[in-house]
mmCIF file with all atom_site columns, all heavy atoms in Angstrom:
data_model
loop_
_atom_site.group_PDB
_atom_site.id
_atom_site.type_symbol
_atom_site.label_atom_id
_atom_site.label_alt_id
_atom_site.label_comp_id
_atom_site.label_asym_id
_atom_site.label_entity_id
_atom_site.label_seq_id
_atom_site.pdbx_PDB_ins_code
_atom_site.Cartn_x
_atom_site.Cartn_y
_atom_site.Cartn_z
_atom_site.occupancy
_atom_site.B_iso_or_equiv
_atom_site.pdbx_formal_charge
_atom_site.auth_seq_id
_atom_site.auth_comp_id
_atom_site.auth_asym_id
_atom_site.auth_atom_id
_atom_site.pdbx_PDB_model_num
ATOM 1  N N   . GLU B 1 295 ? -57.956 -139.817 63.521 1.00 85.00 ? 295 GLU B N   1
ATOM 2  C CA  . GLU B 1 295 ? -59.254 -140.354 63.960 1.00 85.00 ? 295 GLU B CA  1
ATOM 3  C C   . GLU B 1 295 ? -59.356 -141.820 63.550 1.00 85.00 ? 295 GLU B C   1
ATOM 4  O O   . GLU B 1 295 ? -58.553 -142.630 64.005 1.00 85.00 ? 295 GLU B O   1
ATOM 5  C CB  . GLU B 1 295 ? -60.416 -139.526 63.342 1.00 85.00 ? 295 GLU B CB  1
ATOM 6  C CG  . GLU B 1 295 ? -60.341 -138.044 63.651 1.00 85.00 ? 295 GLU B CG  1
ATOM 7  C CD  . GLU B 1 295 ? -60.619 -137.744 65.116 1.00 85.00 ? 295 GLU B CD  1
ATOM 8  O OE1 . GLU B 1 295 ? -61.458 -138.417 65.732 1.00 85.00 ? 295 GLU B OE1 1
ATOM 9  O OE2 . GLU B 1 295 ? -59.967 -136.818 65.669 1.00 85.00 ? 295 GLU B OE2 1
ATOM 10 N N   . LYS B 1 296 ? -60.241 -142.113 62.655 1.00 86.00 ? 296 LYS B N   1
ATOM 11 C CA  . LYS B 1 296 ? -60.399 -143.503 62.247 1.00 86.00 ? 296 LYS B CA  1
ATOM 12 C C   . LYS B 1 296 ? -59.821 -143.725 60.847 1.00 86.00 ? 296 LYS B C   1
ATOM 13 O O   . LYS B 1 296 ? -60.296 -144.569 60.086 1.00 86.00 ? 296 LYS B O   1
ATOM 14 C CB  . LYS B 1 296 ? -61.899 -143.891 62.263 1.00 86.00 ? 296 LYS B CB  1
ATOM 15 C CG  . LYS B 1 296 ? -62.471 -143.968 63.656 1.00 86.00 ? 296 LYS B CG  1
ATOM 16 C CD  . LYS B 1 296 ? -61.876 -145.148 64.421 1.00 86.00 ? 296 LYS B CD  1
ATOM 17 C CE  . LYS B 1 296 ? -62.221 -145.057 65.909 1.00 86.00 ? 296 LYS B CE  1
ATOM 18 N NZ  . LYS B 1 296 ? -61.312 -145.896 66.706 1.00 86.00 ? 296 LYS B NZ  1
ATOM 19 N N   . GLN B 1 297 ? -58.885 -142.914 60.526 1.00 90.00 ? 297 GLN B N   1
ATOM 20 C CA  . GLN B 1 297 ? -58.263 -143.080 59.213 1.00 90.00 ? 297 GLN B CA  1
ATOM 21 C C   . GLN B 1 297 ? -56.765 -143.239 59.404 1.00 90.00 ? 297 GLN B C   1
ATOM 22 O O   . GLN B 1 297 ? -56.192 -142.817 60.408 1.00 90.00 ? 297 GLN B O   1
ATOM 23 C CB  . GLN B 1 297 ? -58.552 -141.857 58.335 1.00 90.00 ? 297 GLN B CB  1
ATOM 24 C CG  . GLN B 1 297 ? -60.025 -141.737 57.984 1.00 90.00 ? 297 GLN B CG  1
ATOM 25 C CD  . GLN B 1 297 ? -60.329 -140.446 57.271 1.00 90.00 ? 297 GLN B CD  1
ATOM 26 O OE1 . GLN B 1 297 ? -59.459 -139.583 57.166 1.00 90.00 ? 297 GLN B OE1 1
ATOM 27 N NE2 . GLN B 1 297 ? -61.547 -140.321 56.813 1.00 90.00 ? 297 GLN B NE2 1
ATOM 28 N N   . ILE B 1 298 ? -56.152 -143.843 58.405 1.00 92.00 ? 298 ILE B N   1
ATOM 29 C CA  . ILE B 1 298 ? -54.706 -144.048 58.487 1.00 92.00 ? 298 ILE B CA  1
ATOM 30 C C   . ILE B 1 298 ? -54.042 -143.198 57.410 1.00 92.00 ? 298 ILE B C   1
ATOM 31 O O   . ILE B 1 298 ? -54.443 -143.238 56.242 1.00 92.00 ? 298 ILE B O   1
ATOM 32 C CB  . ILE B 1 298 ? -54.352 -145.528 58.254 1.00 92.00 ? 298 ILE B CB  1
ATOM 33 C CG1 . ILE B 1 298 ? -55.039 -146.392 59.313 1.00 92.00 ? 298 ILE B CG1 1
ATOM 34 C CG2 . ILE B 1 298 ? -52.854 -145.731 58.280 1.00 92.00 ? 298 ILE B CG2 1
ATOM 35 C CD1 . ILE B 1 298 ? -55.049 -147.848 58.957 1.00 92.00 ? 298 ILE B CD1 1
ATOM 36 N N   . LEU B 1 299 ? -53.076 -142.439 57.816 1.00 92.00 ? 299 LEU B N   1
ATOM 37 C CA  . LEU B 1 299 ? -52.271 -141.675 56.864 1.00 92.00 ? 299 LEU B CA  1
ATOM 38 C C   . LEU B 1 299 ? -50.948 -142.394 56.720 1.00 92.00 ? 299 LEU B C   1
ATOM 39 O O   . LEU B 1 299 ? -50.336 -142.799 57.704 1.00 92.00 ? 299 LEU B O   1
ATOM 40 C CB  . LEU B 1 299 ? -52.013 -140.262 57.381 1.00 92.00 ? 299 LEU B CB  1
ATOM 41 C CG  . LEU B 1 299 ? -53.197 -139.329 57.490 1.00 92.00 ? 299 LEU B CG  1
ATOM 42 C CD1 . LEU B 1 299 ? -52.777 -138.058 58.204 1.00 92.00 ? 299 LEU B CD1 1
ATOM 43 C CD2 . LEU B 1 299 ? -53.717 -139.003 56.114 1.00 92.00 ? 299 LEU B CD2 1
ATOM 44 N N   . THR B 1 300 ? -50.484 -142.541 55.487 1.00 92.00 ? 300 THR B N   1
ATOM 45 C CA  . THR B 1 300 ? -49.194 -143.191 55.330 1.00 92.00 ? 300 THR B CA  1
ATOM 46 C C   . THR B 1 300 ? -48.405 -142.586 54.181 1.00 92.00 ? 300 THR B C   1
ATOM 47 O O   . THR B 1 300 ? -48.975 -142.062 53.225 1.00 92.00 ? 300 THR B O   1
ATOM 48 C CB  . THR B 1 300 ? -49.367 -144.710 55.120 1.00 92.00 ? 300 THR B CB  1
ATOM 49 O OG1 . THR B 1 300 ? -48.081 -145.303 55.049 1.00 92.00 ? 300 THR B OG1 1
ATOM 50 C CG2 . THR B 1 300 ? -50.111 -144.999 53.843 1.00 92.00 ? 300 THR B CG2 1
ATOM 51 N N   . VAL B 1 301 ? -47.108 -142.655 54.338 1.00 91.00 ? 301 VAL B N   1
ATOM 52 C CA  . VAL B 1 301 ? -46.211 -142.179 53.280 1.00 91.00 ? 301 VAL B CA  1
ATOM 53 C C   . VAL B 1 301 ? -45.113 -143.220 53.118 1.00 91.00 ? 301 VAL B C   1
ATOM 54 O O   . VAL B 1 301 ? -44.893 -144.047 53.984 1.00 91.00 ? 301 VAL B O   1
ATOM 55 C CB  . VAL B 1 301 ? -45.568 -140.820 53.617 1.00 91.00 ? 301 VAL B CB  1
ATOM 56 C CG1 . VAL B 1 301 ? -46.567 -139.711 53.536 1.00 91.00 ? 301 VAL B CG1 1
ATOM 57 C CG2 . VAL B 1 301 ? -44.906 -140.882 54.976 1.00 91.00 ? 301 VAL B CG2 1
ATOM 58 N N   . GLY B 1 302 ? -44.437 -143.124 51.991 1.00 88.00 ? 302 GLY B N   1
ATOM 59 C CA  . GLY B 1 302 ? -43.362 -144.070 51.731 1.00 88.00 ? 302 GLY B CA  1
ATOM 60 C C   . GLY B 1 302 ? -42.378 -143.491 50.745 1.00 88.00 ? 302 GLY B C   1
ATOM 61 O O   . GLY B 1 302 ? -42.287 -142.273 50.594 1.00 88.00 ? 302 GLY B O   1
ATOM 62 N N   . ALA B 1 303 ? -41.681 -144.411 50.094 1.00 86.00 ? 303 ALA B N   1
ATOM 63 C CA  . ALA B 1 303 ? -40.643 -143.965 49.170 1.00 86.00 ? 303 ALA B CA  1
ATOM 64 C C   . ALA B 1 303 ? -41.256 -143.561 47.836 1.00 86.00 ? 303 ALA B C   1
ATOM 65 O O   . ALA B 1 303 ? -40.890 -144.052 46.778 1.00 86.00 ? 303 ALA B O   1
ATOM 66 C CB  . ALA B 1 303 ? -39.618 -145.070 48.982 1.00 86.00 ? 303 ALA B CB  1
ATOM 67 N N   . GLU B 1 304 ? -42.209 -142.699 47.890 1.00 86.00 ? 304 GLU B N   1
ATOM 68 C CA  . GLU B 1 304 ? -42.886 -142.197 46.696 1.00 86.00 ? 304 GLU B CA  1
ATOM 69 C C   . GLU B 1 304 ? -43.492 -140.859 47.080 1.00 86.00 ? 304 GLU B C   1
ATOM 70 O O   . GLU B 1 304 ? -43.768 -140.618 48.258 1.00 86.00 ? 304 GLU B O   1
ATOM 71 C CB  . GLU B 1 304 ? -43.976 -143.169 46.253 1.00 86.00 ? 304 GLU B CB  1
ATOM 72 C CG  . GLU B 1 304 ? -44.969 -143.421 47.375 1.00 86.00 ? 304 GLU B CG  1
ATOM 73 C CD  . GLU B 1 304 ? -46.115 -144.326 46.975 1.00 86.00 ? 304 GLU B CD  1
ATOM 74 O OE1 . GLU B 1 304 ? -46.144 -144.737 45.813 1.00 86.00 ? 304 GLU B OE1 1
ATOM 75 O OE2 . GLU B 1 304 ? -46.956 -144.594 47.828 1.00 86.00 ? 304 GLU B OE2 1
ATOM 76 N N   . PRO B 1 305 ? -43.712 -140.017 46.149 1.00 88.00 ? 305 PRO B N   1
ATOM 77 C CA  . PRO B 1 305 ? -44.204 -138.675 46.507 1.00 88.00 ? 305 PRO B CA  1
ATOM 78 C C   . PRO B 1 305 ? -45.714 -138.630 46.714 1.00 88.00 ? 305 PRO B C   1
ATOM 79 O O   . PRO B 1 305 ? -46.389 -137.821 46.093 1.00 88.00 ? 305 PRO B O   1
ATOM 80 C CB  . PRO B 1 305 ? -43.758 -137.824 45.314 1.00 88.00 ? 305 PRO B CB  1
ATOM 81 C CG  . PRO B 1 305 ? -43.688 -138.776 44.190 1.00 88.00 ? 305 PRO B CG  1
ATOM 82 C CD  . PRO B 1 305 ? -43.385 -140.128 44.736 1.00 88.00 ? 305 PRO B CD  1
ATOM 83 N N   . LEU B 1 306 ? -46.220 -139.500 47.510 1.00 89.00 ? 306 LEU B N   1
ATOM 84 C CA  . LEU B 1 306 ? -47.673 -139.534 47.702 1.00 89.00 ? 306 LEU B CA  1
ATOM 85 C C   . LEU B 1 306 ? -47.995 -139.650 49.180 1.00 89.00 ? 306 LEU B C   1
ATOM 86 O O   . LEU B 1 306 ? -47.323 -140.360 49.921 1.00 89.00 ? 306 LEU B O   1
ATOM 87 C CB  . LEU B 1 306 ? -48.277 -140.733 46.975 1.00 89.00 ? 306 LEU B CB  1
ATOM 88 C CG  . LEU B 1 306 ? -48.351 -140.649 45.451 1.00 89.00 ? 306 LEU B CG  1
ATOM 89 C CD1 . LEU B 1 306 ? -48.802 -141.986 44.903 1.00 89.00 ? 306 LEU B CD1 1
ATOM 90 C CD2 . LEU B 1 306 ? -49.287 -139.550 45.009 1.00 89.00 ? 306 LEU B CD2 1
#
Side-chain angles (χ1 to χ4, degrees):
Chain B
E295 304 290 324
K296 290 292 168 199
Q297 293 173 352
I298 300 165
L299 293 172
T300 183
V301 288
E304 56 177 359
L306 287 173

